[in-house]
Amino acid sequence: MNRYSIFSVSAFICFCFLFLVMKSGVSLKGFGTVYLLLLFIIPLVGVYTGYKSKHQLLKWGFVGIHLITFCMMSYLLLLAYGISEP
């Protein structure tokens, strides 16, 4: 594994940790907006670093996983604000 693969795995682990903290209901006081932005930015960084990795199977696996997490966070945000309901 090269360094981009390691960065992509660490981005996924960081996203999972932040998502579990969000799910547990920890009070973040004034950092809510920054926290949500981090939950959007980390998968995008993971897509970039996953795409830069050298192994073909790992490359598309990382890109796919991070795109799924980005779409999941987008959908959860749309549900939170009631935009996806007709």
Side-chain angles (χ1 to χ4, degrees), residues 68-84:
I68 289 170
T69 58
F70 179 75
C71 291
M72 179 185 69
M73 283 309 301
S74 301
Y75 183 69
L76 288 175
L77 188 64
L78 288 174
L79 281 178
Y81 288 112
I83 297 171
S84 65

Side-chain angles (χ1 to χ4, degrees), residues 9-21:
V9 168
S10 63
F12 184 69
I13 291 170
C14 183
F15 175 82
C16 289
F17 176 73
L18 289 174
F19 188 78
L20 288 175
V21 169

